[in-house]
Amino acid sequence: MSVFFDHRAATSANSVHTDIQWHPSFALLAVATKIDDADNEAQGAVSLFFDEGEAVEDINIEKNCAPTTMSWHPTRKILSVGWENGDITLWNEHEHEASCASDGHKAPVNILAWSSNGTRLISGDERGVMIAWRCDARGQLHQLQNYQKRSSYTHCLFRPVAGGGNDPFYNNYTALARAAVEGDETALDMFGTWNKSKVGNPLLSQIYESTESLSCYVGSEDGLIYHIDDKLVLRECVNVETMIKSMLMYEAKNILVVVTTTMMLIQYNCSPDGVLSEIMKVKLSGKSSITCVIWTGPGLMATVAGEDVVRLWDLEKDNNFSLGGALEQINCLSYSASKRILAGGLVNGKIAMWQHRPGSYLQEHWTVLPTIDLSDSFIQIQWSAAHPLLAANNISDVIILNEQPISTSIGLQSAVVQVSPYHVQLETLDPPNILSIRTDIHIRGVCNSEDHVVLWNNKKIVVYEINEEKNFARLAGTFDIDSPLTAIFQQTLFTAETNTITARNFQGTMKQTMQLTEAEGVPISIDICGHYLVIATNTGFVKGWDISRREARQYISPKNISESLPDTSLVSSVKVNCNGTKISIQLRKPTGEPDSRLLIWYVEQDQLLGYDFSAGQAIQPFSESGSGNMLDTLEQAAAEEVSRRFPKEVLWDPLDSRLLVVQASPLSLEPKNTRGHQKKPVSSAFRSTATNAGTTQQKDDTDMDDRVVSLFATADNGVLLHDSFPMSPGYNKLLGVSVPSFYFILQPEDGLEKADGTIVVANGDDAAAETRNQALKERVSAVTMRNFVGLEKSNAEVRQAMLDFAYHLTIGNLDEAFKAIKLIKSETVWENMAKMCVKTRRLDVAALCLGHMGHARGAQALRDVAKEPELNARVAMLAIQLGMLDDAEQLYMSCGRYDLLNKLYQASNQWSKAIAVAERHDRVHLRSTYYKFARHCELSGDIGAAINGYEKSETHRFEVPRMLFDNIQELEAYVIKSKDKKLLAWWAQYLESTGEMDTALQFYQAAEDIMSFVRIWCYCGRFDEAISIANNTNDRAACYHLARQLENQERYVEAVQFYGKAQAYTNATRLCRANQLDSDLISYAMYSTEDDMVICAQYYEETGANWDKAIMLYHKSGQVSKALELAFKHQQFSALQHITSNLDSSVEPETLHTCATFFMEHQEYSKAVDLLVLAKKYLEALDICIDKHISITEDMAEQMSPDKDAEPEYKRVLFERIGECCMTQGAYHLATKKFTQAGNRVKAMRALLKSGDTEKIIFFAGVSRQKEIYVMAANYLQRLDWRKDPEIMKNIITFYTKGRALDSLSGFYDACAQVEIDEYQNYEKALGALSEALKCINKAKMQDVSTQEAKINFLKRRIALLKRFVQARRTYEENPEEAIKECLALLDEHDIESGVRSGDIYGFMIEHYASTGDYQKAYHLVQELKQRLPTASLAYYVNNEVLNQIYQTMGAEEGLLGDMPAEEEEIEEEVPEEFGF
């Protein structure tokens, strides 16, 4: 059962609607409009509307010509519109703008067609120009190919995707995925619950395997059909020789169906390369030309041709038939595949409907549905493909019909049924009574308790309080809330709000929140039974709370049902039994289809059992010992009755925790024998007669009817089938169960409702619903359970006994079954025992007594009051239920529960006591007490006391005017006397409505309502006074209203000024743009919203001037890319400099790269490098730094550092490139750092060596701990003056040693020995150094062994020579002659210079002979030294005084002048290349 909500689209009054189009996946309707008003600049427009007729804001699709055609993108919110002037507009929701392609067509565009995935668009015009466009990811069109033919184009059809694309499973799932991506919250919830860990789903494989077909067929006005292949090659296929009326693609058979204006039906087979071959040609019948041709199923075509019937053509079976019942000429058709409903628009303003039952396409499978009367003749109707929405276009209006199921609810004593969008009726079950409740909201959900009815529409909740007689409904509360789920328990509403369940009172005040985690998801189902609340979420979690106390307490741990399932089914609904021990769970498949399994979660045992209605058996059957084969026999007998069904409605008995009732609907209408099931004998004990549920029917006739199935669910025996019977055709839905009755919603009987239960309400008017309500008083019918026939009025004991009897009989335990039906014969004693319990305060015994009394309300009251901490308060409630009010008063006083005492006084009409208690002891309820007292006084006629009460409750501003409205003079006197500004303003509004403007102005002035004051002056046309007041007060509301009025008066400059004062900058900028107030536009645009800044920037852009302002606005609105684009395009260098100075990494890399390219072209290399770094184009930035000699600073180098999660190889290459660039530029320390970050410590050391920072080189070598680095550091230190710094020498030796470079260390010791010889002639130290060198070379492991041996031999020879010379010098003191003799022997050695300088030997001997006075020999040795070392200076080897003395003695004068020591030249030591410097 469902109801239609009708919504009129908010279109302009003077417009003509030429076309309507629903989006394939979203509830979004496009309406093409031609504006007849000649004064309006825009002569054509396209508007977008939501499912309730609300216009999509900020849509500006207008032109100075009419729209001719439009087409939605198949997956995205992109709309293409063709215009009379040849333009094509593409509106893209993601870009929030409409782009125009005006360079292709010069004539009216009459075809627009998208490919299946929306990457290609075909457009054609009346002059024969056809263009293929490519649509990019941003929704922009790019022309691919242009074709020119001789006639206008009329149709374009893209060929179907090969494989998978025609599968309804695939279409449903992909549409769901697309809707989820685009932000549809319902689709997102459904798609988000998909369990991705469960593989093997064919839907996903179809999605990934599908491809897009880009070839299409195009029909022209002269009858030619063209084919455009994937490569954009156009080829003429066939000529039908007359104008084409319609082209359809029979995708399952790959057949092109063409219907001409001469009513010829032609079918063509489509080859893979696009060639068409005719397979059938037939003349269609009809009174006139065909007006509409559509598909109504695979291969089933529907046509209308000026008749009151629809002709259907089954192309598969070559059969045709007609559907009648419209009674008027049909103008247009539309078919809903999801609902299987064909709708036809009639000339008399009605919509006829036919519904197809699943099965073959025969005439008898189509049912005529009642028509919908919408008054005006429609030229076009269209169903939404993805939502239950029907749009109708009657040129002047567009009406959207929104279908939803009828809302129902049932409590223990009453049921609520929706009878129209604004109307419900409350039916008391026992005794029968009907109460009509009307509201001002579109009702989308209802729930009720014993004395309250709650209505909501996802935006607002309205609560009505029902009096005890169930004949009056009083508004108890209303509040705005976005909650799709609501439930009521006593005085508390439970609402579902995203990830939260919130407990609220009837005024919306939050009492408690129950938060759900992100993993638990969003609630999709809620249920309350007894004092237990359960919910199910979109991720498959089920949670439950005990709400019997003031604070709801979670009584079960959350359970993820989806993870417990072996397949990918999802949770759709949950219901809890009366004691919270079992929770029933309904499932659905990922495609949205219902699952045949009903699961039951046994909370205490944490087990998932259930019943599979497709097989008619328990999912985990249990049996009890002793039952034998009886249980198996009964289950097998009943399985055939309920098999091949799914649970549609699931209800627990509100009092018995075992009883579960299900309305089981058939899965399909296929015959049973096609499924391979074998019929089995059915026991007569289980063949249902369903007393009072309708006449008995034969089994074959009821196979596919809904069945009512009762189950028992227990922990000991699992889920057991108790009984089932077919639901009577007179019933529409199972509403509830409460032993001993089932409750059903009746089918309508007056024919004003659809056969499927859909109630039709035209124009939101409840008049028809009222008429029906007079004829159909009862909408709920009670059917007695079979086991309780004749016991309808029995007490609870008898009912429980009978229910126990039925349970034990179901499990086959006959002994217990017969024991259960022993009845209690006396009841009078129980009431007296209960009253005694008030005195003895034995509530446990009292509860038992109330149960035996059948005092349900008293028992419920005791259960409800059990949460009270004071025993006397609980006992007082028992006294109240038994009528002992005095005792209850004393008990409340004794325990200090004055709040409950206050309620007792109010309920017993003792208002003076209630107010006294509230003022003294219960001030938290003082205002509510005064309010209820005022209501009581009002009803009793004591107006003065009522006014006083309302004032004290602070509700007088609303209640007193309502109460005194029939006595205007008294009301005016009260308002004046009160001097309340809100009341004064309200009274001024009333006076204004009666036309007393002058008096109203006085009251507005007294109320200081500046806005209303200005509004009145504007209404009277006295704008000068209004302007003066607005300027003096600067009241924003007043300024805004004044600006609106000045705008209507075309005083645009002043209107803009006051819009600015009102801070309504959007309106100010709108007026500035519309009236070319460019000087003021920028000042207001800078304070406006980002969207408005973009619009103003576009305005500047369209005017072709003030590019700097357009760029400034784009930049401030955050559209940096657009601002840069304009700056580049129009060479706005100053603006560009300003924009780029504020760029950061949040800007798109492509934009930054474009800016960098621009600066490169203008030789601003430094800025280009900065932008490339921001764009993370590090390698490109480094190339520029190297080529253009841009210095890399430390900050720049740090910005170039890659992210931590970058690939290691990329990080290494990048750091090395940075280091090499720094090396080239001489930034050695920075290069060292980058090489180190790259992990290349050797290059880092080389860079550090270049810097010459000895301290850091020593430190780096010490921390690196690499042999090669130790050697490099030691080699570097050798270049320093290590002779004067022992610390350096120590580090050299240490590094060589750690670097295992013993050959290098040997060389260093050798160098040390040479220094001792050359500088200090200290052969003793030199000998020690050479000894160390020999030790090192002996330990070294050189690759060239021969070289190592040569070095060893060389060192040994040097050491031997040094030892002889040192020994000669040591023996000189004792034996000079022997020493001289050894020296002469050394001079005879051919390699003496390798170990000892010959000059030192000569010097030693010359000084010896000079000291002995033998100058002749001394002089001879001097001359010999000169011959041996001709270039050497004698002063290096012989003291100058000795030489002079020798020369003087020998009379040689030349030596006195020529042998003076020359000044020592500084020799730069070159470091061998092998050391790496």
Side-chain angles (χ1 to χ4, degrees), residues 1023-1041:
F1023 288 97
D1024 292 340
E1025 288 85 347
I1027 290 172
S1028 176
I1029 294 173
N1031 282 327
N1032 292 335
T1033 61
N1034 287 322
D1035 184 87
R1036 288 178 58 185
C1039 290
Y1040 181 80
H1041 180 80

Side-chain angles (χ1 to χ4, degrees), residues 1227-1251:
Y1228 300 119
H1229 286 91
L1230 189 55
T1232 301
K1233 181 178 180 181
K1234 295 304 166 184
F1235 282 134
T1236 303
Q1237 290 176 335
N1240 195 333
R1241 292 181 175 269
V1242 174
K1243 287 188 176 182
M1245 174 56 89
R1246 289 175 181 171
L1248 195 56
L1249 293 175
K1250 288 284 188 179
S1251 70

Side-chain angles (χ1 to χ4, degrees), residues 1323-1442:
Y1323 284 89
E1324 288 78 9
K1325 287 187 177 181
L1327 182 58
L1330 287 176
S1331 299
E1332 291 296 326
L1334 181 60
K1335 291 179 183 178
C1336 292
I1337 197 63
N1338 280 323
K1339 294 179 181 179
K1341 297 180 181 180
M1342 298 178 62
Q1343 294 181 354
D1344 191 348
V1345 178
S1346 60
T1347 302
Q1348 183 175 3
E1349 289 294 330
K1351 288 186 177 182
I1352 292 174
N1353 293 332
F1354 175 75
L1355 286 176
K1356 287 182 177 180
R1357 178 60 178 168
R1358 288 193 67 187
I1359 291 172
L1361 294 174
L1362 255 69
K1363 282 184 177 179
R1364 290 172 62 186
F1365 182 66
V1366 170
Q1367 186 63 29
R1369 294 177 68 172
R1370 288 177 179 173
T1371 61
Y1372 177 79
E1373 294 294 331
E1374 299 176 355
N1375 191 354
E1377 294 298 327
E1378 185 66 24
I1380 296 300
K1381 183 179 179 180
E1382 183 65 21
C1383 288
L1384 291 173
L1386 286 172
L1387 288 174
D1388 292 336
E1389 297 289 340
H1390 68 281
D1391 57 346
I1392 186 61
E1393 293 291 344
S1394 64
V1396 182
R1397 292 191 306 181
S1398 59
D1400 289 334
I1401 298 174
Y1402 279 107
F1404 176 75
M1405 291 189 301
I1406 290 170
E1407 291 181 355
H1408 164 68
Y1409 286 111
S1411 63
T1412 60
D1414 192 351
Y1415 291 101
Q1416 182 68 35
K1417 287 185 178 181
Y1419 181 79
H1420 175 75
L1421 289 175
V1422 170
Q1423 296 302 317
E1424 189 175 313
L1425 175 59
K1426 285 184 177 182
Q1427 291 177 4
R1428 192 159 185 163
L1429 301 174
T1431 60
S1433 175
L1434 297 180
Y1436 284 122
Y1437 309 109
V1438 184
N1439 188 279
N1440 285 334
E1441 295 180 358
V1442 174

Side-chain angles (χ1 to χ4, degrees), residues 120 122 130-132 144-149 153 158-159 214-218 225-237 272-275:
R120 183 169 294 181
I122 301 295
M130 182 166 53
I131 301 176
L144 298 176
Q145 189 67 40
N146 191 306
Y147 311 95
Q148 177 66 58
K149 295 296 179 180
Y153 301 103
F158 276 87
R159 299 188 65 178
L214 299 177
S215 61
C216 63
Y217 291 102
V218 181
I225 298 178
Y226 302 93
H227 178 260
I228 302 176
D229 63 16
D230 294 351
K231 298 181 180 179
L232 299 174
V233 176
L234 177 69
R235 179 177 65 246
E236 182 179 329
C237 294
D273 59 355
V275 176

